[in-house]
Amino acid sequence: MRYIPLSPQDKEKALATIGASSVNQLFADIPEAARMNHPLQIPGPLPEMDLMDWFETAAEKNTHAGPRKTFIGAGAYVHHVPVAVDHLISRTEFFTCYTPYQPEVSQGTLAAIYEFQTYTAALLGMEVANASMYDGPSALAEAVIMACRVTGRDKVVMPDLVHPHWRQVVQTYTQHLGIDIILAPMASDGVCDPEKLAAAMDQRTAAVVVQSPNFFGHVEDMAAINKAREESGALLIGAVAEPMALGLLQGPGASGADICVAEGRSFGGSLGFGGPALGMFAVQNSLARKMPGRLVGKTKDTKGQDGYTLTLSTREQHIRREKATSNICSNQALMATAAAIHISLLGQNGLRETALANLAASHYLAEKMTAIPGVKMAFDQPFFNEFAVTLPMDAQRILGDLASAGYLAGPNLGRWYPEMNNTILLCATEVHSKKNIDALVAMIAKGTV
């Protein structure tokens, strides 16, 4: 598709048609202080070699923390991705993140997404998975909206142990849809209290959302929560920010969840300026036709060979807008392919071994941290690869000193939970050796670096 820009005459005609005096008027709702009213400070046209030199010089200004010095977690986890993943997704039959509309020329992408759906359903303990969403938070927002649509109710209970960013995205999605998001305070316990959740639900409640492992890294008792929500008739939405944990833990669907979502970046993804991310979405079979997005199906062609095509594509470009279940327009096919390849390379045993390595690394880190005088675990709860510790010193100063030395730790939970200032999250995965962990702990123990 060629890009043909508008001529000045075309712009004037378009503005006159909609009654705007200028292009800037179209952005009048954006505060003046947030607008860029000057050209970008970049050089003019350059020869290719000079341009590459300019970019390389600019890149040198970035502070880079290697994966073995990154202990943040909190929804974005450092994992080893086999080099075969990047090699295979670079093949021309896979290298796109857009929806494969023409199945006859998209069999490679469709086959990969079909496998991704299969893995998603198996990991989350569900029956049907779709062809991926943008990311975990937007998938959760879509799940909340779907639950309200299915039940005809307008209230959703969400503990404050769900990732704060995920909660914020849900609020943004639902703020004009007449959906009440009821925040259930559970942070002081470290895990959800099924009885408190049950008390927050009534006949208006469409769903209750539970993240496990939760934002503090703790494993929730999904079976008990599932039982607690039965009287209200609300659906149970299970959210997973760290799917690597599913190498050891049952998926939420195995405990009775109706809808499950996850952030799939741990499989085949990387951490770079917040992305790229990958949404995972699965439901029980009875809800398959209510899912947002689209689903890849497997069939037989006229020659009896396996063939793949889109099915159950309930979006506004395919049907009448008023009947669409979602405005999801594209998908993360490239990242879904990367996830499918990574999981295939691991296999069931490899996934379990990697999860065990995460468990061992994080518990070794917890043991070393609590050996520092004054440092203590914030909670006595089972955790997977991240946990909260309370420091006897100013956490922000320590985190800043660590960052200056090239180590990323934290975040300080006081940012979202004022009563937990100087309590930080730490995460360790299979990429962290004892040497890496000991070095981090030694710097924290000194109180400076």
Side-chain angles (χ1 to χ4, degrees):
M1 181 184 296
R2 287 184 293 171
Y3 171 64
I4 304 175
L6 294 175
S7 68
Q9 293 78 14
D10 291 332
K11 291 181 181 179
E12 290 180 8
K13 185 176 180 180
L15 290 170
T17 300
I18 63 176
S21 61
S22 67
V23 172
N24 287 338
Q25 188 179 345
L26 301 178
F27 304 99
D29 291 335
I30 300 176
E32 184 70 28
R35 301 183 206 175
M36 180 177 285
N37 296 313
H38 57 80
L40 289 172
Q41 300 301 306
I42 57 177
L46 295 171
E48 183 176 334
M49 288 189 293
D50 292 345
L51 182 62
M52 293 301 298
D53 182 65
W54 184 88
F55 273 111
E56 290 169 359
T57 301
E60 290 173 358
K61 298 178 182 178
N62 292 329
T63 299
H64 174 72
R68 295 197 165 193
K69 292 185 177 182
T70 300
F71 295 85
I72 295 180
Y77 305 93
V78 179
H79 291 291
H80 171 69
V81 178
V83 295
V85 174
D86 285 341
H87 171 73
L88 291 172
I89 65 172
S90 298
R91 291 180 61 93
T92 55
E93 61 265 47
F94 293 138
F95 196 58
T96 178
C97 61
Y98 203 63
T99 301
Y101 287 110
Q102 297 173 281
E104 65 274 14
V105 295
S106 305
Q107 288 299 294
T109 298
L110 289 167
I113 296 177
Y114 183 84
E115 296 303 320
F116 167 76
Q117 292 173 172
T118 303
Y119 289 138
T120 297
L123 286 169
L124 295 177
M126 304 300 283
E127 295 175 321
V128 183
N130 73 10
S132 91
M133 313 290 281
Y134 296 134
D135 53 31
S138 61
L140 178 57
E142 292 283 356
V144 165
I145 295 169
M146 173 183 165
C148 293
R149 183 173 63 248
V150 168
T151 62
R153 302 179 180 184
D154 61 358
K155 176 180 171 181
V156 173
V157 174
M158 187 179 303
D160 59 0
L161 291 169
V162 174
H163 195 300
H165 291 167
W166 291 41
R167 287 189 269 124
Q168 187 176 10
V169 170
V170 172
Q171 290 281 3
T172 300
Y173 264 67
T174 60
Q175 61 182 323
H176 299 302
L177 298 180
I179 298 174
D180 291 334
I181 306 298
I182 308 302
L183 190 64
M186 303 281 171
S188 60
D189 300 323
V191 292
C192 292
D193 183 325
E195 293 184 4
K196 290 181 181 178
L197 283 179
M201 291 182 249
D202 56 31
Q203 298 307 307
R204 281 183 53 209
T205 306
V208 57
V209 177
V210 178
Q211 177 185 331
S212 183
N214 63 33
F215 184 58
F216 295 161
H218 303 149
V219 179
E220 297 281 4
D221 188 344
M222 295 296 292
I225 294 169
N226 179 48
K227 187 175 181 180
R229 60 95 186 201
E230 289 178 347
E231 184 176 344
S232 69
L235 300 181
L236 175 58
I237 300 174
V240 182
E242 170 54 301
M244 195 63 75
L246 300 177
L248 293 176
L249 304 175
Q250 284 188 325
S255 298
D258 302 284
I259 307 171
C260 292
V261 299
E263 170 55 65
R265 176 166 40 193
S266 290
F267 298 126
S270 60
L271 301 179
F273 298 97
L278 168 65
M280 305 172 82
F281 196 110
V283 299
Q284 300 295 356
N285 190 55
S286 60
L287 299 175
R289 290 186 175 274
K290 303 294 184 180
M291 277 197 300
R294 79 277 309 139
L295 189 148
V296 173
K298 183 178 181 180
T299 184
K300 297 287 185 180
D301 64 16
T302 56
K303 297 180 180 180
Q305 298 174 326
D306 287 342
Y308 301 88
T309 185
L310 290 179
T311 184
L312 298 183
S313 301
T314 50
R315 50 179 277 209
E316 73 278 6
Q317 282 94 332
H318 290 179
I319 61 175
R320 290 192 297 274
R321 183 182 297 258
E322 64 273 13
K323 290 189 175 181
T325 59
S326 167
N327 70 346
I328 290 290
C329 293
S330 183
N331 69 350
Q332 294 290 68
L334 187 63
M335 297 312 302
T337 301
I341 294 172
H342 190 178
I343 297 171
S344 296
L345 291 170
L346 286 173
Q348 185 174 358
N349 291 336
L351 179 60
R352 177 176 174 79
E353 290 172 4
T354 304
L356 284 170
N358 277 247
L359 187 72
S362 62
H363 282 71
Y364 177 77
L365 174 57
E367 177 186 338
K368 291 297 183 178
M369 283 295 299
T370 52
I372 300 173
V375 175
K376 60 181 181 179
M377 296 290 289
F379 301 95
D380 182 18
Q381 299 289 353
F383 62 90
F384 175 59
N385 66 3
E386 62 187 326
F387 56 91
V389 289
T390 301
L391 305 181
M393 69 285 282
D394 180 23
Q396 285 304 120
R397 179 178 64 82
I398 294 299
L399 293 175
D401 290 344
L402 289 171
S404 297
Y407 282 78
L408 296 180
N412 186 350
L413 292 176
R415 175 180 176 184
W416 300 285
Y417 309 90
E419 70 280 7
M420 298 182 71
N421 197 32
N422 294 331
T423 296
I424 65 172
L425 275 182
L426 288 173
C427 174
T429 71
E430 77 278 7
V431 308
H432 298 112
S433 66
K434 287 186 176 181
K435 179 181 178 181
N436 306 139
I437 293 172
D438 290 343
L440 173 75
V441 172
M443 287 189 287
I444 295 176
K446 291 179 181 178
T448 184
V449 291

